[in-house]
Amino acid sequence: SAYHDYAEVEDPVGATTITFGMDIGEPDISQAQGDGANPFLIYTSNSDADLNFYKNKITFRAISSKPIISPLASSSAVSYAYDYKGAFREDGIKIHQIEVIPRFKNEALFYGSIYIEDSTWALKSVDLNLNKGAILYCNDFKIIQNYEAVDKGAYLPVRRELFYTIKSGDNNIIGNTRVNHSNYNLSPTFPKKNFNSEIKRFEVDAFDKDELFWEAKRPITLKESELTFISEYDSLVSLYSSAEYLSKVDSAFNKINIWSFLLTGVGHKNSFKGTEFRFRGLINQIVPLGVGGYRHRLGGYFNKEFKNDYLLETEGQIDYGFRNKDVKGKVGVGLTYVPLKFVRTFVRFGDYYDLINQNAAFTAVLSRSNYVRTQNISVSQRMEVLNGLYAEATVSFQNQISIDDLELVDYSLLAFGDTADANLIETLNTSTSFPDYKKAEVALSLKYRIKQKYYIKNNKKVITESNYPTLGLTYRRGIPTILNSEVDFEYIELSAEDDFRLPQLGYSSWKVSTGTFTNKNNLRILEHKYFRGSDQGLFADPLNSFQLLGYQFDTRNEYFQANYIHHFEGAILNKVPLINKLKLQLAGGAGTLLIRDINFSHFEAFGGLERIFNLKLWGESQPIRLGGYFVTADNNLDNANFRFKIGIDFYDSGTKKWNY
């Protein structure tokens, strides 16, 4: 009914954001999870974590990626030792203090004290810390939780307090959350269908309460310094939303200096009209490894936010190749409307060099064989049809043109060196030849998160999670005769993916997909199903790629692909003396690919060691996972292979998950 996180607000004038990333696999049409909330508030409602010590495990992803074993768990003797510290009386009732001692220092276990009421054996209080070796995002974590008998035989929490610190750049953020519970109703009645996928709800005016409201409702008296902070916060919010200050923000964005000219780009922003545009900086205009050699690319965007939460987005680029003296470019215009349904229409058109295999290995991305000239115009419509069911329909018209007549640069030698396989270099350096043709295509992508959880906040639908697999369907139809289209094909693909936990043994992730062309009356090589090749020395996302597959495979018939990885999260090595001090974790998995038209069967397996580090990136702490993996593979086209690879994975603090 009332909400305010009092997140520390920083002066946005002159702020610069630098981002980087790498995507492997098909574009995700579903709405991303997370709402960009204050990351320093780890517990804002009961839905963040069920802090119930009577359960065997406590899931608190903001603190630990692994479920925390309760000291009262049925199997707690395996994980904990206990020491009786004595007894005392409180309100005439004898209370026993028991020290909780974790047997493994790097496991998700508590240490501290629990307090048990004599004769009833009810839990009266916990004063527990979490092992630092199990903490991912914070530096340390402590919980104090008090229980009272709210009814005969019913002991429930009346007070819980969380203490934690988070490393942020050069600072330590000290967090303290205090929650009071009262007025329990042990026999509630709910209307039918009250509990559904919406896990919580914010009233429309929950964000508009003034300080007088909070003073009357707040159950805990704040310190003078805290009240001063709130007053200063309100003043800053008022300042940062004032017309005078917005003008300063716009001026800072619009300012041109050597860094904006070289790196961040030159643009103009008008906060009052909701408009913003920017052109790329000089460094971002340089494309040394473009098709045909060096290309110079001008690019930018224009966006407009409307008062009804509509968003207009435009993007465009134009580039020039000096070797072939050719001009290429493309433009995209999109409008997002009906925000609660994520409805977006996007129009794209242009004449540009495009990748044949959009998810090619790094080496193949540089090769001549992976490029084609495309003249394209397309319209895409994306929306959430039902809760968890996302759809995107695209209609496109294209001229596909071979680049045989272009003068190209030999990039493959840069990737392989002069000692590389001559046949391989020749294959990669030779452009894909085909007669030019026209194509009209309709594509439909569906993605369904079964029983997707969500909540509405500030007129936005925030996606949280689903405990069930995610299903996918892709349908493509090449339509002949329309606008002289020459293709005639039909393709359908089904997929499923999920992750799950094994009790005390870490978590697994898997993905399965299969597809086929049901119509191949006029199927060109560009429309084949392509698979991502393997990278030299790099362990790529094992759910969307293979490690020892080769550089590129495609098919015009049926295929089946399955990938699996399991992270033990220290479940084994944390229990080995001396080795557990290294904080290493085991991981392993496998994958298979079957392609009918070349009678191809590929199987690979891998295993290795991983370690989590907190890397400081531009003043913020970013958990990363480094791994070294031994990979072996065998298929019916090549001899058995064995390689060592290095991988790096990033933790997403929004979804509280790793990429794989």
Side-chain angles (χ1 to χ4, degrees), residues 376-420:
N376 170 72
I377 180 169
S378 66
V379 180
S380 297
Q381 179 71 49
R382 178 183 298 181
M383 68 178 297
E384 185 181 28
V385 182
L386 301 170
N387 178 53
L389 177 60
Y390 299 86
E392 182 175 72
T394 301
V395 178
S396 61
F397 299 92
Q398 297 178 346
N399 288 333
Q400 302 287 32
I401 304 170
S402 172
I403 60 172
D404 287 342
D405 59 342
L406 289 182
E407 185 179 347
L408 303 176
V409 176
D410 191 354
Y411 292 140
S412 297
L413 288 178
L414 298 176
F416 295 105
D418 294 330
T419 61

Coordinates of all heavy atoms in Angstrom, one line a residue, residues 376-420:
N376 N 16.8 -5.1 -48.0 CA 15.8 -5.6 -47.2 C 14.8 -4.6 -46.7 O 15.2 -3.4 -46.5 CB 16.4 -6.2 -45.9 CG 15.4 -6.6 -44.8 OD1 14.6 -7.5 -45.0 ND2 15.3 -5.8 -43.8
I377 N 13.5 -5.0 -46.6 CA 12.5 -4.2 -45.9 C 11.7 -5.2 -45.1 O 11.2 -6.2 -45.7 CB 11.7 -3.3 -46.9 CG1 10.6 -2.5 -46.1 CG2 11.0 -4.2 -48.0 CD1 9.9 -1.5 -46.9
S378 N 11.4 -4.9 -43.9 CA 10.7 -5.8 -43.0 C 9.9 -5.1 -42.0 O 10.2 -3.9 -41.6 CB 11.7 -6.8 -42.3 OG 12.5 -6.1 -41.4
V379 N 8.8 -5.7 -41.5 CA 8.0 -5.2 -40.5 C 7.8 -6.3 -39.4 O 7.4 -7.4 -39.8 CB 6.6 -4.8 -41.0 CG1 5.7 -4.2 -39.8 CG2 6.7 -3.7 -42.1
S380 N 8.1 -6.0 -38.2 CA 8.0 -7.0 -37.1 C 7.0 -6.5 -36.0 O 7.0 -5.3 -35.7 CB 9.4 -7.2 -36.4 OG 10.3 -7.7 -37.3
Q381 N 6.2 -7.4 -35.5 CA 5.2 -7.1 -34.5 C 5.5 -8.0 -33.3 O 5.4 -9.2 -33.5 CB 3.8 -7.2 -35.0 CG 2.7 -7.0 -34.0 CD 2.6 -5.5 -33.6 OE1 2.5 -4.7 -34.5 NE2 2.6 -5.2 -32.3
R382 N 5.8 -7.4 -32.2 CA 6.1 -8.2 -31.0 C 5.1 -7.9 -29.8 O 4.7 -6.7 -29.7 CB 7.5 -8.0 -30.5 CG 7.9 -8.7 -29.2 CD 9.3 -8.4 -28.8 NE 10.3 -8.7 -29.8 CZ 11.6 -8.6 -29.6 NH1 12.1 -8.0 -28.5 NH2 12.5 -8.9 -30.6
M383 N 4.7 -8.9 -29.1 CA 3.8 -8.6 -27.9 C 3.7 -9.8 -27.0 O 4.1 -10.9 -27.4 CB 2.4 -8.2 -28.4 CG 1.6 -9.4 -29.1 SD -0.1 -8.9 -29.6 CE -0.8 -8.6 -28.0
E384 N 3.2 -9.6 -25.8 CA 2.9 -10.7 -24.9 C 1.4 -11.0 -25.1 O 0.5 -10.3 -24.7 CB 3.2 -10.4 -23.5 CG 3.0 -11.5 -22.5 CD 3.3 -11.2 -21.1 OE1 3.1 -10.0 -20.7 OE2 3.6 -12.1 -20.3
V385 N 1.1 -12.2 -25.7 CA -0.3 -12.6 -26.0 C -1.0 -12.9 -24.8 O -2.1 -12.4 -24.5 CB -0.3 -13.7 -27.0 CG1 -1.7 -14.1 -27.4 CG2 0.5 -13.4 -28.2
L386 N -0.5 -13.8 -24.0 CA -1.0 -14.2 -22.6 C 0.2 -14.1 -21.7 O 1.3 -14.0 -22.1 CB -1.6 -15.6 -22.7 CG -2.7 -15.9 -23.7 CD1 -3.0 -17.4 -23.7 CD2 -4.0 -15.1 -23.2
N387 N -0.1 -14.2 -20.4 CA 1.0 -14.1 -19.4 C 2.0 -15.2 -19.7 O 1.7 -16.4 -19.7 CB 0.5 -14.3 -18.0 CG 1.6 -14.2 -17.0 OD1 2.4 -13.3 -17.0 ND2 1.7 -15.3 -16.1
G388 N 3.2 -14.9 -20.0 CA 4.3 -15.8 -20.3 C 4.4 -16.2 -21.7 O 5.4 -16.9 -22.1
L389 N 3.4 -15.9 -22.6 CA 3.4 -16.3 -24.0 C 3.8 -15.1 -24.8 O 3.0 -14.2 -25.0 CB 2.1 -16.9 -24.4 CG 2.0 -17.3 -25.9 CD1 3.0 -18.3 -26.3 CD2 0.6 -17.8 -26.3
Y390 N 5.0 -15.1 -25.4 CA 5.5 -14.0 -26.2 C 5.5 -14.4 -27.7 O 5.8 -15.5 -28.0 CB 6.9 -13.6 -25.8 CG 6.9 -13.1 -24.3 CD1 7.1 -14.0 -23.3 CD2 6.8 -11.8 -24.0 CE1 7.2 -13.6 -22.0 CE2 6.9 -11.3 -22.7 CZ 7.0 -12.2 -21.7 OH 7.1 -11.8 -20.4
A391 N 5.2 -13.4 -28.5 CA 5.1 -13.7 -30.0 C 5.7 -12.6 -30.7 O 5.6 -11.4 -30.4 CB 3.7 -14.0 -30.4
E392 N 6.4 -12.9 -31.8 CA 6.9 -11.9 -32.8 C 6.7 -12.4 -34.2 O 7.1 -13.5 -34.5 CB 8.4 -11.6 -32.6 CG 8.9 -10.5 -33.5 CD 10.3 -10.1 -33.2 OE1 11.2 -10.9 -33.5 OE2 10.5 -9.0 -32.7
A393 N 5.9 -11.6 -35.0 CA 5.7 -12.0 -36.4 C 6.4 -11.0 -37.3 O 6.4 -9.8 -37.0 CB 4.2 -11.9 -36.7
T394 N 7.1 -11.5 -38.3 CA 7.9 -10.6 -39.2 C 7.6 -10.9 -40.6 O 7.6 -12.1 -41.0 CB 9.4 -10.8 -38.9 OG1 9.7 -10.5 -37.6 CG2 10.2 -9.9 -39.8
V395 N 7.3 -9.9 -41.4 CA 7.2 -10.0 -42.8 C 8.3 -9.3 -43.5 O 8.5 -8.1 -43.2 CB 5.8 -9.4 -43.3 CG1 5.7 -9.5 -44.8 CG2 4.7 -10.1 -42.6
S396 N 9.1 -10.0 -44.4 CA 10.2 -9.3 -45.0 C 10.3 -9.6 -46.4 O 9.9 -10.7 -46.9 CB 11.5 -9.8 -44.3 OG 11.7 -11.2 -44.4
F397 N 10.8 -8.6 -47.2 CA 11.1 -8.8 -48.6 C 12.6 -8.4 -48.8 O 13.1 -7.4 -48.4 CB 10.2 -7.8 -49.4 CG 8.8 -8.1 -49.2 CD1 8.0 -7.4 -48.3 CD2 8.1 -9.0 -50.0 CE1 6.7 -7.6 -48.1 CE2 6.7 -9.3 -49.8 CZ 6.0 -8.6 -48.9
Q398 N 13.3 -9.3 -49.5 CA 14.7 -9.2 -49.6 C 15.2 -9.5 -51.0 O 14.7 -10.4 -51.7 CB 15.5 -10.1 -48.6 CG 15.2 -9.7 -47.2 CD 15.9 -10.7 -46.2 OE1 16.4 -11.7 -46.6 NE2 15.9 -10.3 -44.9
N399 N 16.3 -8.8 -51.4 CA 17.1 -9.2 -52.6 C 18.4 -9.7 -52.0 O 19.1 -9.0 -51.3 CB 17.4 -8.0 -53.5 CG 16.2 -7.6 -54.3 OD1 15.3 -8.4 -54.6 ND2 16.2 -6.3 -54.7
Q400 N 18.7 -11.0 -52.3 CA 19.9 -11.6 -51.8 C 20.9 -11.6 -52.9 O 20.7 -12.2 -54.0 CB 19.7 -13.0 -51.3 CG 18.6 -13.1 -50.2 CD 19.2 -12.6 -48.8 OE1 20.0 -11.7 -48.8 NE2 18.7 -13.1 -47.7
I401 N 22.1 -11.0 -52.7 CA 23.1 -10.8 -53.7 C 24.4 -11.3 -53.3 O 24.9 -11.0 -52.2 CB 23.2 -9.3 -54.1 CG1 21.8 -8.7 -54.5 CG2 24.2 -9.1 -55.2 CD1 21.8 -7.2 -54.6
S402 N 25.1 -12.2 -54.1 CA 26.4 -12.7 -53.8 C 27.4 -11.6 -53.9 O 27.3 -10.6 -54.6 CB 26.7 -13.8 -54.8 OG 28.1 -14.2 -54.6
I403 N 28.5 -11.8 -53.1 CA 29.6 -10.8 -53.1 C 30.8 -11.3 -53.9 O 31.9 -10.9 -53.6 CB 30.0 -10.4 -51.6 CG1 30.5 -11.7 -50.9 CG2 28.8 -9.8 -50.9 CD1 31.1 -11.4 -49.5
D404 N 30.5 -12.2 -54.9 CA 31.6 -12.7 -55.7 C 32.4 -11.6 -56.4 O 33.6 -11.7 -56.7 CB 31.1 -13.7 -56.7 CG 30.6 -15.0 -56.1 OD1 31.1 -15.3 -54.9 OD2 29.9 -15.7 -56.7
D405 N 31.7 -10.5 -56.8 CA 32.3 -9.5 -57.6 C 33.1 -8.5 -56.7 O 33.7 -7.5 -57.3 CB 31.3 -8.8 -58.4 CG 30.2 -8.1 -57.6 OD1 30.1 -8.5 -56.4 OD2 29.5 -7.2 -58.1
L406 N 33.1 -8.6 -55.4 CA 33.8 -7.7 -54.6 C 35.3 -8.1 -54.4 O 35.7 -9.2 -54.4 CB 33.2 -7.6 -53.2 CG 31.8 -7.0 -53.0 CD1 31.4 -7.0 -51.6 CD2 31.8 -5.6 -53.6
E407 N 36.1 -7.0 -54.3 CA 37.5 -7.3 -53.9 C 37.6 -7.4 -52.4 O 37.3 -6.4 -51.7 CB 38.4 -6.1 -54.5 CG 39.9 -6.4 -54.3 CD 40.7 -5.2 -54.8 OE1 40.1 -4.4 -55.6 OE2 41.9 -5.2 -54.5
L408 N 38.0 -8.5 -51.9 CA 38.0 -8.8 -50.5 C 39.4 -8.9 -49.9 O 40.4 -9.1 -50.6 CB 37.2 -10.1 -50.2 CG 35.8 -10.1 -50.7 CD1 35.2 -11.5 -50.5 CD2 35.0 -9.0 -50.1
V409 N 39.5 -8.7 -48.6 CA 40.7 -8.8 -47.9 C 40.8 -10.1 -47.2 O 39.8 -10.7 -46.7 CB 40.8 -7.7 -46.8 CG1 42.1 -7.8 -46.0 CG2 40.8 -6.3 -47.5
D410 N 42.0 -10.7 -47.1 CA 42.3 -12.0 -46.6 C 42.4 -11.9 -45.1 O 43.5 -11.8 -44.5 CB 43.5 -12.6 -47.2 CG 43.7 -14.1 -46.8 OD1 42.8 -14.6 -46.1 OD2 44.6 -14.7 -47.3
Y411 N 41.2 -11.9 -44.4 CA 41.3 -11.9 -42.9 C 41.6 -13.2 -42.3 O 42.1 -13.2 -41.1 CB 39.9 -11.5 -42.4 CG 39.5 -10.1 -42.7 CD1 38.2 -9.8 -43.1 CD2 40.4 -9.0 -42.6 CE1 37.8 -8.5 -43.4 CE2 40.0 -7.7 -42.9 CZ 38.7 -7.5 -43.3 OH 38.4 -6.2 -43.6
S412 N 41.4 -14.3 -42.9 CA 41.5 -15.6 -42.3 C 43.0 -15.8 -41.9 O 43.2 -16.5 -40.9 CB 41.1 -16.7 -43.2 OG 39.7 -16.6 -43.5
L413 N 43.9 -15.3 -42.6 CA 45.3 -15.4 -42.2 C 45.6 -14.7 -40.9 O 46.4 -15.2 -40.1 CB 46.3 -14.9 -43.3 CG 46.4 -15.7 -44.6 CD1 47.3 -15.0 -45.6 CD2 46.9 -17.1 -44.3
L414 N 44.9 -13.7 -40.6 CA 45.0 -13.0 -39.3 C 44.5 -13.9 -38.2 O 45.1 -13.9 -37.1 CB 44.2 -11.7 -39.3 CG 44.6 -10.6 -40.3 CD1 43.6 -9.4 -40.2 CD2 46.0 -10.1 -40.1
A415 N 43.5 -14.7 -38.5 CA 42.9 -15.6 -37.5 C 43.7 -16.9 -37.3 O 43.9 -17.4 -36.2 CB 41.5 -15.9 -37.8
F416 N 44.2 -17.4 -38.4 CA 44.8 -18.8 -38.3 C 46.3 -18.7 -38.4 O 47.0 -19.6 -37.9 CB 44.3 -19.6 -39.5 CG 42.9 -19.9 -39.4 CD1 42.0 -19.3 -40.3 CD2 42.4 -20.9 -38.5 CE1 40.6 -19.6 -40.2 CE2 41.0 -21.2 -38.5 CZ 40.2 -20.5 -39.3
G417 N 46.9 -17.7 -39.0 CA 48.3 -17.7 -39.3 C 48.7 -18.5 -40.5 O 47.9 -19.2 -41.1
D418 N 49.9 -18.3 -41.0 CA 50.4 -19.0 -42.2 C 50.5 -20.5 -42.1 O 50.5 -21.2 -43.2 CB 51.8 -18.4 -42.6 CG 51.7 -16.9 -42.9 OD1 50.6 -16.5 -43.4 OD2 52.7 -16.2 -42.7
T419 N 50.5 -21.0 -40.9 CA 50.7 -22.5 -40.8 C 49.3 -23.2 -40.7 O 49.3 -24.4 -40.5 CB 51.5 -22.8 -39.5 OG1 50.8 -22.3 -38.4 CG2 52.9 -22.2 -39.6
A420 N 48.2 -22.5 -40.9 CA 46.9 -23.1 -40.8 C 46.6 -24.1 -41.9 O 47.3 -24.0 -43.0 CB 45.8 -22.1 -40.7

